Amino acid sequence: MRTVCQPSSRRGRAVRTIRALAALACAGTLTAGCGGGPITNTGGNGNGGPDELGPAATILFPPAVSITDARTVEVRGTTSTEGVAASVRVNGVPAQSTDQYLTWSANLGLDAGANTIRVATRDTRGFGNDPAATATIRSIAILAAPAYGAIDTSRSLLYVSDRGRATIDSIDLASGAMRTVSGDDAGTGLPLGAPAGIAFDAASQRLLVADAELPGVLRVDPFTGTRSIFSDIAVGSGPAFAVLADLELDTDRGRLLVSDGALATLFAIDLASGDRTVLSSDDVGDGPSLAAAGAIAVDRARQRAFVASNVEGAAVVIAVDLVSGARTLHAGGFARIDGLVVDPSRDVLYLSDPTVPALLQFALASGARSDFSTAKRGTGVPLARPAGLEVDPARDRILVVEQSAAVLGADRDTGDRALASTDATGGGPILGLATGVAIDASHDRALVASAGPPALLSIALSSGDRESLTSADTTTGPALVQPAAVALSINGTQAFVADAGALSVIAVDLATGSRSELSGATRGAGPAFTGLAGVTIDPDANRIYVSDGVARSVLAIDVASGDRTVLSAEDTGVGPAFESPAGLTYDSAGARLLVTDPRLGAVVAVNPATGERQVVASAEVGGGATLAPQAITLDGAATRALVSNTLRGEIVAVSLVDGDRTVVSSATTGSGPRYELPLGLAIDPSRGTIVTADPDAHAIFVATPDTGARVILSR
């Protein structure tokens, strides 16, 4: 592990925050012994004996287990007693402190792969404690929205195009090691915009990548990441592209086949010149249209290409003659097709349908169709949104690029599925589309609402391990449909889930997982829900507040009866009307409800007694970052809230005094994997960190509120 010593330029606010946490810990309210919190070596007994240890230490950030795509990490923590510690070292690097190591931080360089963080302390008498605390962090490429893959069998590498991060990443199929081959921070040349189909040209030792944003095809050096244009309107002759999707090599003819969904066309590009010709389109070749042409696979034995297309609203596979461009319908009746690949050794065509989700197989000789890997065939990691497919003959499997930010390997005989990518962290069921998060501090866990697969998950804040609390196999009650947000009950025994799909608030018993409708179609009187978005608890009145974006209102729910009343809307309470109320949190210190409204671009305070609305922050109130807020939480101080600017991919601090706004964590503020669509937001009081649910990244992030540094706790 490399070492970097660099004091933080924003330490002041961190010291104040963590000092407050440490004071609470010393008072016995936030220690691990109270039922959760960071793991720490308790240190010596203070008697000065021969087995005396130095001061105990706690790592507040990063978590005990996490991943990052950064090559550095700022480690933050505390020691047990002010005035006792003489030094703190993290992997040999002297930590920085302004309060005699009551709080401290150190910047570390990270090696690719696994890194162990080891904290050593020494007191004023010379007694040491090593390790006083430890954590593990992996520095790897992290997939966000992968779509297609290309295999280099000679090096046992799978290259993956990631539209979410605008990168090309590689996965070592033997070791699982992942790295970014080309992107903003890897390689030079024309930047990647929206990389889609990808092929490895072994003869020229290059990657060819369809970029839908360019639109054109790029050549990428797999060793240096250097990017240049291979074929577009300015390079190579022939008709221009519109919206490129997939590409595949036709090595027998020295050309590249490229599908263009907008033009309903299959292009052929000369591998030497980049010149373009139309192989098949509505004007070239007979047969059904290549409307919405997407995934491609080549059947060399029969000199044809298979192209995913759309006929009369249904997804189909069209066979295209590689000489004449003539088209015939090969298979149809699918909801969607995102991946195709031909396995020549078995004479089989594999197809991915993300709507089921399922992998199907077709015997090319007979045309027989059967399930290959589905919910009913094959065990292991469940399919979520399978897309691109590749054959890995050395390991007798089909590689499945999952749009849920993973790559799976499916055994060719059994359909059993296992992870091939290693950027997952935390064990347990798939995280899916995490939309909301609440912290259960007494159990040191995050409660996470997932919209797909619909579930309420428990995620350990120490390890990232996941457990479903609402499994249909082991629990009872109404099924979750599309959970949007979650809140913890006052006594900590229940979670309240705002289910946008069921238009209901569901109470989940955290001990048994059993579910019941707290308020909705079958329980409680009052106006019906039309578009649930957020949920929070009013501990002072033992009632729940929910936001309804369709009705443009905030409703209050009586916990005992489930009865609903409109608390604030255009005709209830005075003040600026809501346009799309979303996240909400209760501010006990101000005796008010804080509500985000992304269309209004504002944070609005609501009086719980009158429904009166007052803008706290907006383009007209306060200055700083532009607001398009979704989730909201208080950061522990009575004068500041944190909101997720979802579409901007950032977390913003909002002053509750004057409305001023500052970006706390984003792609340009703080290191680590970037947010894709931050939705759920909560503060971990034991560590003073920000916990964020991001459905597009399929991840739970943890970030520091002062520097904005981010890692992924679970995905």
Side-chain angles (χ1 to χ4, degrees):
M1 179 179 293
R2 297 174 292 113
T3 56
V4 180
C5 183
Q6 179 182 348
S8 169
S9 61
R10 293 179 234 181
R11 189 172 314 283
R13 187 163 64 247
V15 168
R16 290 192 295 273
T17 301
I18 301 177
R19 270 181 171 168
L21 289 169
L24 288 171
C26 292
T29 59
L30 290 180
T31 61
C34 293
I39 298 173
T40 166
N41 187 330
T42 55
N45 56 26
N47 295 324
D51 296 327
E52 182 73 34
L53 293 175
T58 298
I59 297 175
L60 299 176
F61 182 88
V65 180
S66 64
I67 59 174
T68 182
D69 60 3
R71 297 308 298 270
T72 62
V73 65
E74 184 174 31
V75 182
R76 293 183 168 270
T78 63
T79 55
S80 54
T81 309
E82 187 171 7
V84 170
S87 69
V88 173
R89 289 179 175 268
V90 184
N91 289 25
V93 177
Q96 307 295 312
S97 180
T98 58
D99 56 9
Q100 296 181 303
Y101 299 103
L102 179 64
T103 62
W104 49 264
S105 66
N107 284 348
L108 298 182
L110 299 175
D111 293 328
N115 296 261
T116 299
I117 298 171
R118 186 182 181 111
V119 178
T121 64
R122 186 166 294 275
D123 65 19
T124 53
R125 300 163 298 169
F127 291 111
N129 190 354
D130 184 6
T134 61
T136 301
I137 184 170
R138 287 187 295 137
S139 177
I140 56 174
I142 296 175
L143 301 175
Y148 295 96
I151 195 167
D152 175 1
T153 55
S154 67
R155 295 186 181 86
S156 193
L157 292 175
L158 178 72
Y159 296 100
V160 178
S161 62
D162 191 322
R163 189 165 184 164
R165 295 173 59 238
T167 59
I168 304 299
D169 301 307
S170 70
I171 303 173
D172 187 309
L173 297 174
S175 67
M178 299 177 62
R179 74 178 184 95
T180 296
V181 172
S182 192
D184 289 345
D185 300 319
T188 59
L190 190 72
L192 293 165
I198 182 170
F200 178 68
D201 182 2
S204 299
Q205 291 294 294
R206 63 184 176 180
L207 293 165
L208 298 171
V209 181
D211 193 310
E213 188 175 284
L214 189 58
V217 178
L218 299 175
R219 65 169 67 87
V220 178
D221 188 308
F223 304 102
T224 66
T226 301
R227 302 170 297 276
S228 58
I229 295 176
F230 170 66
S231 184
D232 75 347
I233 194 170
V235 178
S237 63
F241 300 125
V243 180
L244 299 186
D246 196 11
L247 46 75
E248 193 74 25
L249 289 168
D250 178 8
T251 54
D252 294 338
R253 294 170 178 79
R255 64 186 182 179
L256 183 72
L257 305 179
V258 183
S259 59
D260 190 314
L263 298 179
T265 295
L266 183 64
F267 285 94
I269 306 176
D270 185 274
L271 286 174
S273 65
D275 291 345
R276 301 170 298 281
T277 58
V278 173
L279 172 61
S280 190
S281 71
D282 290 344
D283 300 320
V284 178
D286 298 326
S289 174
L290 293 173
I296 306 173
V298 172
D299 178 9
R300 291 182 66 186
R302 297 168 181 83
Q303 291 297 292
R304 61 184 175 177
F306 295 112
V307 181
S309 185
N310 191 288
V311 174
E312 296 180 353
V316 299
V317 178
I318 293 177
V320 180
D321 186 281
L322 291 176
V323 177
S324 67
R327 301 174 300 279
T328 56
L329 181 65
H330 182 76
F334 306 102
R336 181 169 171 173
I337 301 169
D338 278 3
L340 294 171
V341 70
V342 168
D343 183 349
S345 68
R346 300 199 174 195
D347 205 29
V348 168
L349 171 70
Y350 294 98
L351 172 153
S352 66
D353 184 338
T355 62
V356 177
L359 305 180
L360 306 176
Q361 57 187 354
F362 297 83
L364 293 177
S366 66
R369 166 181 169 176
S370 60
D371 289 350
F372 165 56
S373 189
T374 67
K376 296 181 179 179
R377 186 177 191 271
T379 61
V381 180
L383 295 169
R385 291 188 292 162
L389 304 174
E390 288 291 313
V391 180
D392 181 10
R395 292 159 191 83
D396 203 21
R397 62 183 179 176
I398 301 300
L399 297 170
V400 185
V401 179
E402 270 278 3
Q403 296 171 82
S404 59
V407 175
L408 307 181
D411 185 276
R412 285 195 290 185
D413 292 322
T414 65
D416 291 348
R417 301 167 299 275
L419 280 172
S421 55
T422 57
D423 60 342
T425 184
I430 190 169
L431 178 59
L433 304 177
T435 54
V437 61
I439 301 300
D440 180 3
S442 64
H443 294 91
D444 198 35
R445 64 181 176 179
L447 301 175
V448 175
S450 172
L456 178 67
L457 301 173
S458 167
I459 299 182
L461 292 170
S462 59
S463 65
D465 288 347
R466 300 174 296 277
E467 176 189 1
S468 176
L469 298 176
T470 54
S471 170
D473 297 332
T474 58
T475 61
T476 60
L480 297 177
V481 179
Q482 189 182 342
V486 59
L488 184 66
S489 66
I490 296 172
N491 61 13
T493 63
Q494 289 182 303
F496 300 122
V497 178
D499 193 320
L503 293 178
S504 174
V505 175
I506 303 295
V508 179
D509 186 296
L510 295 178
T512 66
S514 63
R515 299 171 301 281
S516 59
E517 185 170 57
L518 176 76
S519 187
T522 65
R523 188 172 188 268
F529 300 128
T530 56
L532 287 174
V535 60
T536 194
I537 301 291
D538 178 352
D540 300 331
N542 193 29
R543 62 179 175 174
I544 298 170
Y545 300 114
V546 296
S547 55
D548 191 318
V550 175
R552 301 182 183 184
S553 63
V554 172
L555 292 87
I557 302 173
D558 182 82
V559 174
S561 65
D563 289 348
R564 301 170 296 278
T565 57
V566 175
L567 170 65
S568 189
E570 185 174 11
D571 56 358
T572 305
V574 299
F578 289 123
E579 292 188 17
S580 58
L584 29 69
T585 189
Y586 189 74
D587 176 13
S588 293
R592 59 184 177 175
L593 191 65
L594 299 174
V595 184
T596 63
D597 191 318
R599 287 185 190 169
L600 206 59
V603 175
V604 179
V606 176
N607 186 312
T610 65
E612 178 182 349
R613 299 173 298 280
Q614 180 179 1
V615 173
V616 173
S618 68
E620 292 76 31
V621 179
T626 301
L627 278 178
Q630 192 75 28
I632 185 169
T633 188
L634 297 174
D635 76 344
T639 59
R640 192 172 85 153
L642 299 174
V643 301
S644 59
N645 257 2
T646 298
L647 297 181
R648 298 172 66 90
E650 60 190 17
I651 306 301
V652 174
V654 178
S655 169
L656 299 178
V657 177
D658 55 19
D660 285 349
R661 303 168 295 280
T662 306
V663 175
V664 169
S665 188
S666 70
T668 57
T669 304
S671 61
R674 74 180 191 183
Y675 299 117
E676 299 296 332
L677 193 73
L679 277 183
L681 197 61
I683 288 290
D684 174 3
S686 296
R687 298 166 179 86
T689 50
I690 306 168
V691 180
T692 306
D694 189 321
D696 275 18
H698 305 278
I700 301 299
F701 287 81
V702 173
T704 61
D706 50 348
T707 68
R710 300 168 301 282
V711 297
I712 289 177
L713 169 70
S714 190
R715 92 185 225 126

